[in-house]
Amino acid sequence: MATYKKAYIAGGCFWGMEDLFRTRPGVVDTEVGYQGGQNDNPTYKNHPGHAEGIEITYNPNQTSFEELLDYFFRIHNPTTVDRQGNDRGSSYRSAIFYQNEEEKQIAEDMIAVVDASGKWEGKVVTTLEPWSTFWKAEDYHQDYLVKNPNGYTCHFLRFEEPFVNNGE
């Protein structure tokens, strides 16, 4: 039996991120929620400082943290501060919530690779934030785009080719 790992990222409205990650090889579950803010038990109407993020449960025998981040940097614009599509504010920041120094180093290395690629016009502004409690969002936000196929999203695959050669 595989031992699963979790990754925590934010890149704008959590609906689109979850919808794209749910079908990735090695991803066994996704949850949307709030992370990195100022209050306990945040809600959609009260989540000061929290990013709209996702918790990704994955099988490390099938994908890696690096591969997840590579995809993350291809499905949202990591060069806009506190903004994705029509959504603006710190809730929509690009962030990686690292759980240990190894994840932090992988994230720093990936940012350097993405910046060096020249694929984005600007430099990556994704914040690296130490892991903090992930608060699951309300049920109506979970699997939102499955329940509402024509719902709003600003996420899509911008670059087919991975930033690093990781077996895709």
Side-chain angles (χ1 to χ4, degrees), residues 5-82:
K5 290 187 172 185
K6 293 185 184 276
Y8 299 87
I9 56 175
C13 177
F14 43 33
W15 299 338
M17 293 290 266
E18 180 187 39
D19 198 54
L20 291 172
F21 269 103
R22 89 172 65 259
T23 60
R24 295 295 298 164
V27 172
V28 297
D29 192 32
T30 56
E31 297 284 344
V32 299
Y34 312 101
Q35 195 165 11
Q38 302 159 1
N39 63 326
D40 288 347
N41 302 304
T43 64
Y44 187 69
K45 293 184 180 195
N46 183 26
H47 60 274
H50 287 280
E52 286 193 10
I54 64 171
E55 175 186 75
I56 301 167
T57 304
Y58 67 99
N59 182 337
N61 295 322
Q62 296 177 334
T63 193
S64 66
F65 185 65
E66 180 186 53
E67 288 172 310
L68 294 173
L69 293 185
D70 189 299
Y71 188 67
F72 169 69
F73 283 115
R74 292 187 285 138
I75 64 169
H76 85 293
N77 184 341
T79 68
T80 55
V81 176
D82 294 347

Side-chain angles (χ1 to χ4, degrees), residues 80-148:
T80 55
V81 176
D82 294 347
R83 178 177 180 215
Q84 286 297 309
N86 296 327
D87 298 321
R88 296 174 190 261
S90 65
S91 295
Y92 306 108
R93 69 185 179 272
S94 176
I96 299 167
F97 296 92
Y98 62 88
Q99 299 172 83
N100 54 50
E101 287 304 310
E102 179 185 13
E103 284 187 356
K104 183 180 180 186
Q105 186 62 58
I106 291 168
E108 289 172 346
D109 293 347
M110 182 59 70
I111 289 170
V113 167
V114 172
D115 276 339
S117 77
K119 289 183 178 181
W120 290 105
E121 287 185 26
K123 292 291 185 188
V124 171
V125 297
T126 303
T127 60
L128 300 182
E129 303 177 33
W131 185 89
S132 58
T133 302
F134 178 84
W135 302 94
K136 185 178 172 185
E138 298 85 345
D139 285 342
Y140 71 92
H141 287 298
Q142 305 301 327
D143 305 315
Y144 183 83
L145 291 174
V146 171
K147 299 172 194 169
N148 302 279

